């Protein structure tokens, strides 16, 4: 059973994590298909862009942790773009099973984003794509992500956001809130998961709001870039030296 809006408001962090984990476990087998179908393959372009933006910041050969890696597509894209040492992490075992079937070059670790099993400053960069809004406590999640970044290293976030054009936002909202849950539910057999998606995006901070949270966490040189008219955005911030 997916999270309702009321569940998200009242659930304790452990309960929230358990419900989100169960929801993603149910749709793991159709997750990649639906990502590509529902975005008309735009999700692939977004992943290439975040890998390219990260490459410009850290160069080749950086050690990178990809949090909420799901079925591993961004982890693989980062490895192909940047090389170095890439680790994928997610708390959903069925997603990780699929990721491991795609490549033997990347270790995939099962763990929670709020309790990363790594020492302080273990990575030159951390990425998280479409996962931060699923963390029970966004502020604490940002702090934990920053903790494992080396001083001077970068955090890159790819997340759904708020389209800037009013007319485009209205058209996208109709698709995102009305059509997407129906299509996703029909194909995956779990409509609640695809109803959760727009509900979670509505509650998540917009571009400026997320940038402000990143600065409040202690990240510096925070910047963002809208993708596809603001449907999604890449946020980047640096851990101070």
């Amino acid at each position: 059973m997916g999270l309702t809006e009321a569940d998200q408001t009242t659930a304790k962090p452990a309960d929230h994590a358990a419900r989100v984990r169960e929801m993603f476990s149910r749709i793991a087998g159709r997750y990649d298909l639906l990502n590509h179908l529902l975005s008309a393959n735009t999700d692939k372009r977004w992943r290439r862009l975040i890998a390219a933006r990260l490459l410009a910041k850290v160069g080749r050969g950086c050690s990178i942790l990809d949090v909420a890696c799901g079925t591993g597509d961004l982890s693989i894209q980062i490895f192909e773009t940047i090389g170095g040492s890439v680790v994928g992490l997610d708390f959903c075992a069925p997603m990780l099973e699929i990721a491991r079937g795609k490549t033997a070059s990347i270790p995939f670790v099962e763990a929670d984003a709020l309790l990363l099993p790594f020492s302080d400053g273990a990575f030159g960069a951390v990425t998280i794509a479409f996962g931060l809004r699923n963390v029970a406590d966004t502020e604490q999640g940002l702090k934990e992500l920053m903790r494992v970044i080396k001083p001077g290293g970068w955090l890159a976030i790819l997340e759904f956001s708020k389209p800037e054009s009013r007319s485009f936002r209205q058209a996208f909202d109709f698709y995102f809130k009305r059509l997407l849950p129906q299509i996703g539910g029909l194909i995956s057999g779990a409509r609640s998961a695809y109803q959760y998606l727009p509900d979670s995006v509505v509650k998540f901070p917009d571009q400026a709001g997320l940038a402000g949270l990143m600065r409040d966490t202690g990240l510096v040189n925070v910047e963002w870039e809208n993708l596809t008219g603001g449907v999604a955005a890449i946020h980047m911030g640096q851990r101070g030296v």
Side-chain angles (χ1 to χ4, degrees):
M1 180 176 180
L3 281 173
T4 66
E5 194 164 341
D7 288 332
Q8 296 174 64
T9 302
T10 60
K12 295 179 180 180
D15 295 336
H16 177 95
R19 293 181 184 184
V20 172
R21 183 187 297 110
E22 188 272 340
M23 178 183 67
F24 279 104
S25 295
R26 290 176 61 197
I27 64 173
R30 295 296 182 98
Y31 185 76
D32 285 344
L33 170 65
L34 281 164
N35 274 353
H36 305 329
L37 176 65
L38 295 173
S39 71
N41 280 325
T42 302
D43 63 311
K44 296 180 181 179
R45 175 176 173 271
W46 291 344
R47 291 185 181 92
R48 288 195 299 269
L49 281 171
I50 193 171
R53 299 297 182 267
L54 189 59
L55 173 62
K57 297 293 187 184
V58 303
R60 298 191 183 277
C62 183
S63 60
I64 298 172
L65 173 66
D66 181 29
V67 177
C69 67
T71 58
D73 282 355
L74 180 59
S75 303
I76 294 168
Q77 183 65 63
I78 291 169
F79 183 76
E80 292 175 349
T81 303
I82 298 176
S85 171
V86 178
V87 177
L89 179 143
D90 202 282
F91 70 172
C92 180
M95 291 282 196
L96 292 174
E97 288 179 13
I98 295 171
R100 293 182 183 115
K102 294 179 179 180
T103 179
S105 300
I106 300 170
F108 290 101
V109 178
E110 184 176 352
D112 195 296
L114 287 173
L115 192 62
L116 299 174
F118 305 106
S119 60
D120 295 359
F123 297 92
V126 171
T127 60
I128 182 167
F130 307 115
L132 187 58
R133 64 188 157 74
N134 296 324
V135 175
D137 186 327
T138 303
E139 183 178 358
Q140 186 58 40
L142 286 170
K143 290 178 179 178
E144 181 67 353
L145 296 175
M146 188 175 73
R147 179 185 68 79
V148 300
I149 301 173
K150 296 176 181 178
W154 286 85
L155 171 64
I157 301 168
L158 173 59
E159 189 54 87
F160 288 111
S161 199
K162 309 295 190 297
E164 294 184 320
S165 164
R166 181 177 179 181
S167 58
F168 180 51
R169 183 168 60 248
Q170 290 174 337
F172 180 72
D173 281 352
F174 176 78
Y175 169 73
F176 203 50
K177 297 176 182 178
R178 300 287 185 86
L179 298 182
L180 183 146
Q182 294 183 34
I183 299 170
L186 181 64
I187 295 175
S188 71
R191 176 172 176 143
S192 58
Y194 287 89
Q195 185 60 59
Y196 165 79
L197 173 57
D199 289 347
S200 66
V201 172
V202 167
K203 296 183 65 178
F204 196 71
D206 63 11
Q207 292 90 322
L210 178 54
L213 282 176
M214 293 170 70
R215 294 187 186 100
D216 290 344
T217 301
L219 292 161
V220 299
N221 299 321
V222 175
E223 58 192 55
W224 81 80
E225 173 186 357
N226 281 329
L227 305 178
T228 317
V231 168
I234 296 172
H235 283 69
M236 302 194 73
Q238 188 177 28
R239 181 173 178 176
V241 296

